[in-house]
Amino acid sequence: MPDKKGSIFKKKAKEEPVDAGNLKYVGQSVKKVDGLGLATGIAGFVDDIELPNLLYAKILPSPHAHAKILSIDASKAKKLKGVKAVLTYKDLPRIAHTTAGQGYPEPSPYDTFILDNKVRYVGDRVAAVAAETEQIAEEAIKLIKVQYKVLKPVLDMEKATEKGMPIIHDEKEARTIIPLNYDPKRNIASQVKALTGNMAEGFSNADHTFENIYYAHYASHAANETHIVITYLDGQGRLVIRTSTQVPFHVRRIVAERLQLSESRVRVIKPRIGGGFGGKQEVLIEDICSALTLKTRSPVKLHYSRSEEFIASRTRHPQRIILKTGVKHDGTITAIDMDVLMNTGAYGSHALTVACNTGSKVLPLLRCENVQFKAQTVYTNLPVGGAYRGYGATQGYIAMGIQVDEMAERIGMDVCHFYKMNHIKVGETSPVFKALGEGREGVLQTIESCGLDQCIEIGATAIDWYAKKERYERQTGQIRKGVGMVALMQGSSIPDIDMGAASMKMNEDGSFNLLVGATDLGTGSDTILAQMAAEVLDVPVEKIIVYSSDTDLTPFDVGAYASSTTYLSGYAVIKTAEDIRSQIFDVAAEMLKEKKADLYVKDSAVFSKKTGKNITYQRIGLHSLYEKNQHQIASVKSHITHKSPPPFSAHFVEIELDMDTGKVKVLKYVAAIECGRAINPKLAEGQTEGGVLNGISYALTEEYIFDRQGRMLNSGFDNYKLFYPADLPEIRTILIEGYPEPTGPYGAKSVSEICINGAVPAISNAIYNAVGIRLRKPPFTPEVVYTSINK
Amino acid sequence: MIIKLIINNEEKEFTIKPGDILLDVLRREGYKGVKKGCGTGECGACAVLLNGRAVNSCLVLAAEADNSRIVTIEGIGTTEKPDPLQESFVEAGAVQCGYCTPGMIISAKALLNKKKDPTDTEIKKALDGNYCRCTGYVKIIDAVRMAVKKMKNK
Ligand code: FES
Ligand code: FES
């Protein structure tokens, strides 16, 4: 039975803020457990080990967007001194798979091969080489002679399904492994439809209707560390994959399958990771590097260049969204009809689920009975989409966030008020939760915590919303200002699908090893999980030694995606720590000759409520291992979720627009966020600030520029414009506390994804406030803005 | 050829090829704190102090660095004896994935060696060659300010 401490996350839902309680480690901005190792340069990333006889791998990229390989001759490359292996499609098992690092069975289509006899975008892989040095590998790549039959490419997603368009996936193996609406013959990677209520009725009840087209564009995750993997054989000839991944357990399963190995012959190690943002929820390069190791029996390293990272890793899926809504004079929303066309590029990684999320993480925010959602994902011969922080919601909020501003304006209501009136409230549900899931039906859920009203109020005050909004409506002159806002929600984990587990053991000095499958990729999850364990056991965080994501040593976890780690894996850690505590009580009861029920933990010791007798963890640890009834105090527990409670947020932005150049500059950005209880406020703020700036540069500067052959022209940090310190506007993060989620570990919900979704709509709305022009197709570069205001 | 360097106050001799890049040589010789984010001088992850100046080691030929003094992140401080900058980065929450952190700290160190009390604008300018995707820079700038305070109080 959970004792007194165990009851804290069973608090009843309340609309009113509740007290933070007397938590000791949770809710504190404790220092990151890996922080100092990283700051002194000693924490090991994938590339920070030395292996004897390491070989360097290089990939031969396709120069064509769409072509058949007629012949491929690697004989010259093989003869080059220092070359140890060359692989083409002829050397590898032809097993259709998806690169999406999702749970089994994956909802993404199986349309990819390690290497194929067809290439489907510029940069697609044609062959791979392993050589003694990087230079030799590069030379060898150039010596491979390939004869292509160039095919007409599909470069416009809006034309991809037209009659007469070439079929990108004409191979017979392309399929989905669960019944889904997959239609590769028409270049359709996924389609989904959901309807609740009655659309005709909804629109006929409206006093105003709105219909517009919105776009989301390609973007790179641009993690500082590009994709990298090192593979080698261990002392038993097993394959070890040391990789920069968000999904180590999926890597094990998927690589084993692709290379026809048993999972027991594969070990995946995730060391420190240099950022992921969804880009590393992809089993992308581990397979080919492993194949090179299996062929050469040597360690092999494959490290993407920045240019490869842009072109041949994964991207934000571009979308075109046609959004139609109906609203009454009083602000009641009577109908929402969202029609999404999504471009997945050459392969269908996350093709269904990202599109689903565009609806499922956006539509439930607003109360409405009549909702229709349609999405179609198409193949093109362009770079491949994938998971990207925000995961479809980013795209959806561009449409919804701008159109809500249009609605409020038309009926003459302040948009903050409009959101407050229409957003989903505690105790309410949305039919969309059930109608739309991740590749299958969703899960019905009721909102049990929501601090959105307070986010809106506090955010509005922080930016001085009402005064500025009015003042900026009538401006003249060259430099104009504007304010814009948007309200947001996301989710926390994939309910009834994702599982996280933790294991823990006690040492004789009263410290604990905490082993988690959860994948810290810079997010700080090792730290917040340690805080939760420390809270249950009442020991300093330093006494919890965290080790994460090694498939030989740690229990399973689906990995870092879907905003799940805190909410899902956090609970697994709490359960494990509670079991450990119970085992500690068993030993203490014996040692103190007290009843177990009378015991409680405090400051690394066990006390008796009755007698005040106590004994330290150190004594208990030593006793349990060496003195009497010797045994290892240890536990492993798993957790699955049945809900995906949304965090809520309101973003406000103030911009300055130069009429002569079209340049938009963000002056101030306020992100007020309610994520349940923040386990570590500083880390939660950091997540928000990073996501916000990523959102701002997505809105203003980041874009993929292609030539007419589908070649990306700006695949470097010099011409793909990211934000650097000098570009930084004032960003203010406000964590709204006091709304603990009853189903969350210590009341926590997710925080990392929601923050990236606000910048595009908020900035677009601010541009409207400044100059009266609606921009619906980001990025809002000076050229775009200038042309629009001078039309 | 053989080059002589003083790295983190230790005299070293390395055998290199004429075209070798300083970043690659440093990593090869065990200075793994020096990171590679782009290889083209645009991310600052590979920054080291070269004769006191912060430079991107991916743009320097190892041969050019012959006879110079180099400080890498490993020479700034250790987990036992961290530099105030390293402590501040951890305390301020400026470290997320940590891949940019060594380069950020090197750039900040170069600034603080010259200026005891820099303005925010000077901090941003000094770090402007350093890219970070995780933090949005807010806490990185906080960290440098915090280090300034710590050093004053020492
Ligand atoms: S690796 Fe040197 S600046 Fe990016
Ligand atoms: S902390 Fe990850 S790039 Fe800066």
Side-chain angles (χ1 to χ4, degrees):
Chain A
M1 277 306 287
D3 70 346
K4 224 174 112 237
K5 279 208 122 184
S7 62
I8 40 177
F9 39 85
K10 283 284 170 235
K11 258 180 202 149
K12 240 182 84 57
K14 281 196 192 162
E15 302 243 5
E16 288 303 302
V18 296
D19 186 41
N22 44 10
L23 297 171
K24 213 158 147 187
Y25 303 104
V26 161
Q28 304 298 320
S29 292
V30 308
K31 289 187 257 177
K32 262 185 94 198
V33 294
D34 51 350
L36 203 51
L38 290 164
T40 52
I42 60 165
F45 290 80
V46 170
D47 201 19
D48 297 346
I49 53 162
E50 290 291 336
L51 289 169
N53 306 318
L54 179 72
L55 302 177
Y56 297 81
K58 276 278 158 205
I59 304 286
L60 173 66
S62 164
H64 304 294
H66 199 189
K68 199 95 197 146
I69 296 174
L70 295 178
S71 71
I72 186 161
D73 177 6
S75 53
K76 270 214 184 115
K78 281 181 187 161
K79 273 188 216 129
L80 186 69
K81 192 162 174 285
V83 170
K84 296 291 172 183
V86 181
L87 294 178
T88 72
Y89 72 91
K90 294 175 197 158
D91 306 303
L92 291 163
R94 187 177 166 80
I95 295 173
H97 61 262
T98 173
T99 59
Q102 299 175 302
Y104 181 83
E106 306 95 334
S108 298
Y110 279 24
D111 59 6
T112 311
F113 304 89
I114 301 178
L115 291 170
D116 199 0
N117 56 11
K118 191 180 178 186
V119 287
R120 297 178 182 83
Y121 71 103
V122 176
D124 205 354
R125 53 196 199 194
V126 176
V129 167
E132 281 166 3
T133 68
E134 240 175 310
Q135 290 74 9
I136 298 173
E138 251 155 45
E139 264 174 64
I141 283 295
K142 291 185 202 135
L143 295 176
I144 301 173
K145 287 267 157 315
V146 189
Q147 246 198 323
Y148 296 97
K149 179 177 177 223
V150 178
L151 305 170
K152 188 179 152 196
V154 181
L155 298 175
D156 181 349
M157 72 165 162
E158 301 191 52
K159 297 200 177 112
T161 59
E162 279 177 9
K163 258 220 164 89
M165 274 293 161
I167 302 169
I168 296 171
H169 286 278
D170 50 1
E171 68 277 8
K172 62 178 190 311
E173 296 92 338
R175 67 185 188 281
T176 56
I177 58 164
I178 43 180
L180 293 165
N181 226 334
Y182 182 56
D183 192 358
K185 298 282 166 294
R186 292 174 53 219
N187 290 328
I188 294 172
S190 83
Q191 359 190 27
V192 63
K193 264 189 202 157
L195 170 71
T196 72
N198 182 322
M199 297 312 290
E201 207 179 292
F203 280 110
S204 71
N205 287 338
D207 298 315
H208 308 273
T209 54
F210 302 82
E211 180 172 354
N212 270 305
I213 306 179
Y214 306 82
Y215 289 89
H217 55 292
Y218 268 117
S220 170
H221 306 80
N224 214 331
E225 178 201 44
T226 56
H227 278 77
I228 177 166
V229 59
I230 296 177
T231 51
Y232 55 95
L233 301 178
D234 72 6
Q236 299 169 31
R238 293 167 74 229
L239 175 66
V240 183
I241 304 174
R242 182 180 164 94
T243 181
S244 183
T245 184
Q246 295 173 228
V247 286
F249 285 88
H250 296 337
V251 170
R252 180 178 68 175
R253 182 189 90 241
I254 292 170
V255 170
E257 190 189 316
R258 281 183 214 168
L259 294 172
Q260 296 176 305
L261 300 167
S262 122
E263 263 123 320
S264 65
R265 300 294 294 163
V266 182
R267 173 181 182 186
V268 179
I269 299 171
K270 173 219 75 93
R272 299 336 293 165
I273 299 302
F277 317 108
K280 292 169 182 169
Q281 193 201 336
E282 202 75 18
V283 187
L284 191 66
I285 58 174
E286 290 90 348
D287 56 354
I288 192 110
C289 199
S290 298
L292 288 166
T293 280
L294 293 176
K295 171 116 193 190
T296 59
R297 315 302 289 174
S298 286
V300 181
K301 171 164 87 180
L302 177 54
H303 192 176
Y304 263 5
S305 69
R306 182 53 62 185
S307 173
E308 286 174 304
E309 188 71 14
F310 272 106
I311 296 168
S313 71
R314 293 295 177 252
T315 61
R316 164 111 41 226
H317 287 100
Q319 287 187 0
R320 181 201 70 195
I321 302 178
I322 302 172
L323 183 63
K324 230 177 124 181
T325 52
V327 181
K328 285 195 190 175
H329 294 309
D330 69 358
T332 310
I333 303 171
T334 59
I336 304 177
D337 187 352
M338 187 184 257
D339 184 344
V340 176
L341 175 70
M342 183 165 102
N343 174 12
T344 190
Y347 299 96
S349 176
H350 302 264
L352 173 70
T353 40
V354 166
C356 285
N357 259 31
T358 301
S360 65
K361 298 286 183 276
V362 176
L363 299 170
L365 178 68
L366 299 169
R367 290 165 165 167
C368 181
E369 273 163 26
N370 310 303
V371 181
Q372 178 164 261
F373 177 75
K374 269 190 285 185
Q376 186 178 67
T377 305
V378 296
Y379 288 119
T380 61
N381 294 108
L382 288 169
V384 184
Y388 192 138
R389 192 180 202 173
Y391 204 83
T394 312
Q395 292 92 322
Y397 278 109
I398 295 175
M400 194 54 88
I402 298 173
Q403 194 156 107
V404 165
D405 206 60
E406 301 177 54
M407 295 180 208
E409 198 212 6
R410 179 94 63 86
I411 62 165
M413 189 187 278
D414 179 76
V415 66
C416 291
H417 188 74
F418 187 90
Y419 275 117
K420 281 204 223 164
M421 168 182 170
N422 282 302
H423 80 75
I424 191 166
K425 309 282 188 304
V426 168
E428 292 179 358
T429 184
S430 162
V432 180
F433 286 134
K434 178 102 180 97
L436 267 177
E438 295 249 340
R440 62 187 196 195
E441 242 194 10
V443 174
L444 192 70
Q445 63 171 346
T446 306
I447 299 296
E448 293 184 72
S449 58
C450 174
L452 182 54
D453 284 348
Q454 214 187 328
C455 290
I456 293 172
E457 280 156 27
I458 289 184
T461 308
I463 204 120
D464 193 10
W465 173 255
Y466 299 98
K468 282 183 178 161
K469 179 96 195 294
E470 216 187 295
R471 183 155 19 107
Y472 294 158
E473 262 158 24
R474 292 169 294 272
Q475 293 172 87
T476 50
Q478 186 195 335
I479 305 291
R480 310 218 181 145
K481 290 184 176 178
V483 286
M485 68 85 62
V486 67
L488 309 162
M489 62 165 260
Q490 192 87 24
S492 311
S493 82
I494 312 176
D496 290 338
I497 292 183
D498 286 351
M499 190 274 272
S503 77
M504 210 169 177
K505 69 179 169 67
M506 186 181 197
N507 303 313
E508 64 258 48
D509 64 346
S511 67
F512 300 86
N513 293 101
L514 173 63
L515 276 65
V516 289
T519 311
D520 191 334
L521 51 143
T523 44
S525 64
D526 284 358
T527 306
I528 61 120
L529 296 175
Q531 283 176 261
M532 293 191 208
E535 190 68 49
V536 173
L537 294 163
D538 201 347
V539 288
V541 174
E542 305 82 70
K543 291 280 179 193
I544 309 283
I545 308 146
V546 192
Y547 183 70
S548 58
S549 313
D550 177 330
T551 58
D552 266 13
L553 303 179
T554 68
F556 180 89
D557 190 291
V558 285
Y561 58 88
S563 279
S564 66
T565 303
T566 304
Y567 184 72
L568 171 77
S569 315
Y571 227 126
V573 168
I574 291 177
K575 284 182 179 172
T576 311
E578 282 179 349
D579 187 30
I580 291 280
R581 190 178 55 195
S582 167
Q583 295 180 37
I584 289 175
F585 285 151
D586 287 333
V587 178
E590 201 181 283
M591 293 173 77
L592 296 172
K593 310 229 170 1
E594 292 274 332
K595 278 215 207 82
K596 186 177 176 186
D598 294 332
L599 301 177
Y600 66 97
V601 296
K602 192 174 176 318
D603 295 334
S604 308
V606 175
F607 287 77
S608 162
K609 272 180 263 181
K610 279 246 172 78
T611 62
K613 277 204 272 177
N614 58 73
I615 187 153
T616 63
Y617 282 0
Q618 195 177 1
R619 282 292 306 133
I620 295 170
L622 204 64
H623 183 83
S624 67
L625 292 174
Y626 292 105
E627 291 175 2
K628 207 175 152 206
N629 290 335
Q630 289 88 329
H631 69 286
Q632 174 69 64
I633 293 179
S635 175
V636 53
K637 294 278 178 232
S638 313
H639 189 64
I640 59 167
T641 64
H642 303 296
K643 292 185 60 177
S644 180
F648 294 94
S649 188
H651 287 194
F652 292 82
V653 66
E654 180 174 7
I655 58 132
E656 188 177 85
L657 191 156
D658 185 333
M659 298 294 284
D660 286 0
T661 60
K663 189 169 163 52
V664 173
K665 192 175 154 197
V666 172
L667 299 174
K668 181 169 180 172
Y669 200 103
V670 177
I673 169 153
E674 180 272 294
C675 55
R677 173 170 290 125
I679 303 295
N680 185 319
K682 205 156 255 174
L683 295 183
E685 281 171 21
Q687 285 296 311
T688 307
E689 287 149 4
V692 162
L693 196 68
N694 190 339
I696 293 174
S697 56
Y698 181 59
L700 295 179
T701 59
E702 292 184 46
E703 65 179 322
Y704 275 47
I705 300 165
F706 297 104
D707 71 7
R708 294 229 217 131
Q709 277 76 47
R711 214 166 289 132
M712 185 187 185
L713 298 174
N714 58 332
S715 61
F717 278 173
D718 51 343
N719 46 18
Y720 180 94
K721 179 72 184 87
L722 294 151
F723 274 46
Y724 282 73
D727 307 314
L728 179 67
E730 181 187 348
I731 297 178
R732 210 172 137 207
T733 306
I734 306 170
L735 295 178
I736 304 292
E737 291 276 3
Y739 299 89
E741 163 62 32
T743 67
Y746 292 105
K749 295 188 281 191
S750 80
V751 70
S752 62
E753 288 195 88
I754 184 169
C755 44
I756 202 169
N757 301 334
V760 178
I763 290 173
S764 169
N765 295 339
I767 293 172
Y768 181 78
N769 181 229
V771 293
I773 283 167
R774 288 270 176 219
L775 296 182
R776 302 182 179 92
K777 191 173 185 181
F780 310 130
T781 59
E783 203 185 338
V784 166
V785 176
Y786 183 85
T787 325
S788 312
I789 51 184
N790 289 297
K791 235 197 253 159
Chain B
M1 63 185 283
I2 291 178
I3 54 167
K4 280 193 182 161
L5 300 161
I6 300 175
I7 304 187
N8 303 337
N9 283 326
E10 268 184 293
E11 280 182 37
K12 294 272 176 176
E13 272 188 23
F14 301 141
T15 310
I16 61 154
K17 288 201 218 82
D20 281 358
I21 303 292
L22 181 59
L23 165 64
D24 298 332
V25 173
L26 289 172
R27 286 190 56 83
R28 188 166 78 209
E29 297 297 337
Y31 301 93
K32 302 286 190 193
V34 190
K35 300 288 181 229
K36 179 175 180 174
C38 66
T40 52
E42 269 123 6
C43 75
C46 63
V48 297
L49 295 179
L50 183 72
N51 298 326
R53 244 168 23 98
V55 298
N56 290 330
S57 63
C58 70
L59 294 183
V60 178
L61 285 173
E64 284 176 72
D66 194 10
N67 291 317
S68 56
R69 289 184 82 92
I70 289 177
V71 180
T72 69
I73 189 69
E74 290 91 346
I76 300 284
T78 61
T79 48
E80 282 71 38
K81 272 187 96 179
D83 185 88
L85 267 167
Q86 290 167 318
E87 285 170 347
S88 303
F89 265 66
V90 179
E91 283 163 28
V95 182
Q96 282 191 31
C97 78
Y99 203 81
C100 71
T101 310
M104 288 282 180
I105 289 177
I106 290 286
S107 295
K109 191 77 194 171
L111 171 71
L112 299 190
N113 280 346
K114 275 191 303 196
K115 282 222 147 189
K116 293 284 159 265
D117 205 354
T119 63
D120 280 6
T121 317
E122 283 167 331
I123 296 174
K124 284 186 184 179
K125 221 181 128 207
L127 301 182
D128 202 37
N130 293 80
Y131 168 67
C132 172
R133 187 58 135 182
C134 302
T135 63
Y137 307 109
V138 180
K139 299 213 177 328
I140 289 179
I141 292 157
D142 288 351
V144 180
R145 279 195 218 114
M146 192 190 277
V148 169
K149 261 201 212 133
K150 273 190 200 231
M151 284 154 91
K152 268 195 205 152
N153 295 339
K154 267 207 169 157

